Amino acid sequence: MNNSDVIRRLRQQLQQLEQEVLQHDSRLPASQKKLMQDTERFNEQLFYQSGAQLGPCIMQISNSIAHLEKMLKGNISNGTIMLACEQIQDRFTAVKRALSTTDIDVKAAQQTKASRIAKAKKRRQQSHSDSGFDWIAAGVMHNSHQLYDELKKHHNWVLKFEQKIESLQSQLESCHSADKIALQNEILLVHRRLGKCRKAISYIEDRIQAFERPYKSYNR
């Protein structure tokens, strides 16, 4: 395959992907666009892009193909050209994966927003007053250490679930089409578990606050 054929095939591949992206972006509700406007969906080495819409990625891939075409006309080593081709293919793969995971990413953004609102509400409700009784504070910490241990354990689970979701999403790149639905369902299941774990964290934090409230009230 000569250089012209390489560029021609890449542009054909890009044209097909662009049509898929245009359809994807046109179906996005305004609420989802607003919800994910600051969400980074790609590694910064692949794209400079944020938000649910994938249109900006097409232009960046097009620029990469144009740059490759200039490289092919110059005195550039085969290794450098191969690397550039691999990077372009990585970008194609990343956009394909993003097309299939938008619903999952939206659900994750909704959970993150709900968690942020809940935490902000909780902060407004909490009373911050210094007791001045160090011995009472020490007693509270001593008796409630199990609650804090449980809180730490759930935070660790959140991290593991987030890492699991990232790993599963990366598997979609090489996943056979027949297995894709099952893999996406698994990702949704882990998202549900992540949501339950975050709710458990909020519950534990409420229990800690309720446990300590009598001591704070005593000092007011």
Side-chain angles (χ1 to χ4, degrees):
M1 184 184 301
N2 58 40
N3 294 343
S4 297
D5 289 337
V6 171
I7 297 300
R8 178 175 54 81
R9 291 197 177 188
L10 286 174
R11 284 180 172 157
Q12 288 176 346
Q13 188 177 354
L14 178 62
Q15 186 177 14
Q16 180 180 353
L17 182 63
E18 183 177 14
Q19 294 305 310
E20 295 179 40
V21 167
L22 286 172
Q23 293 177 10
H24 168 273
D25 288 358
S26 67
R27 291 195 298 263
L28 286 171
S31 59
Q32 291 185 5
K33 294 178 184 178
K34 182 177 181 180
L35 176 67
M36 297 183 64
Q37 61 185 358
D38 297 322
T39 301
E40 300 287 345
R41 300 185 67 190
F42 301 97
N43 186 302
E44 62 181 11
Q45 294 179 347
L46 288 173
F47 295 106
Y48 293 102
Q49 183 268 354
S50 62
Q53 293 176 286
L54 301 175
C57 300
I58 297 300
M59 180 58 68
Q60 293 181 55
I61 297 177
S62 178
N63 291 339
S64 295
I65 295 174
H67 181 64
L68 174 62
E69 186 175 21
K70 291 181 180 179
M71 293 172 61
L72 291 172
K73 294 178 181 178
N75 186 22
I76 306 298
S77 67
N78 289 334
T80 301
I81 291 174
M82 287 296 296
L83 179 60
C85 289
E86 290 174 1
Q87 290 174 339
I88 291 173
Q89 289 302 328
D90 286 344
R91 287 185 164 189
F92 276 122
T93 300
V95 174
K96 280 282 190 180
R97 183 178 62 201
L99 285 169
S100 65
T101 60
T102 294
D103 289 343
I104 295 172
D105 292 337
V106 167
K107 286 183 173 68
Q110 289 171 337
Q111 290 180 346
T112 299
K113 180 180 179 181
S115 177
R116 186 168 58 247
I117 292 173
K119 288 180 180 178
K121 182 178 180 180
K122 186 182 298 183
R123 284 195 298 267
R124 289 193 298 267
Q125 293 174 342
Q126 288 177 335
S127 173
H128 301 282
S129 60
D130 296 328
S131 67
F133 294 93
D134 293 341
W135 64 273
I136 293 179
V140 169
M141 294 301 295
H142 175 74
N143 292 325
S144 61
H145 71 277
Q146 289 181 333
L147 284 172
Y148 284 101
D149 288 343
E150 193 71 10
L151 183 63
K152 181 179 179 181
K153 181 170 66 177
H154 279 75
H155 277 297
N156 289 336
W157 282 345
V158 165
L159 179 60
K160 290 180 180 179
F161 285 142
E162 289 174 342
Q163 292 173 341
K164 179 67 173 179
I165 290 169
E166 182 178 355
S167 174
L168 289 171
Q169 287 180 336
S170 67
Q171 291 178 35
L172 286 175
E173 296 181 17
S174 56
C175 178
H176 190 275
S177 58
D179 301 325
K180 183 169 292 186
I181 293 178
L183 186 57
Q184 290 175 338
N185 287 337
E186 186 177 357
I187 293 173
L188 285 172
L189 178 61
V190 179
H191 266 296
R192 292 191 190 102
R193 291 175 177 171
L194 176 61
K196 289 181 179 178
C197 193
R198 285 173 173 159
K199 288 180 179 178
I201 287 175
S202 295
Y203 176 81
I204 294 169
E205 289 174 342
D206 285 342
R207 294 304 91 203
I208 291 173
Q209 184 181 5
F211 188 89
E212 295 175 345
R213 188 179 297 118
Y215 296 91
K216 293 182 179 179
S217 299
Y218 172 82
N219 191 53
R220 283 203 290 266

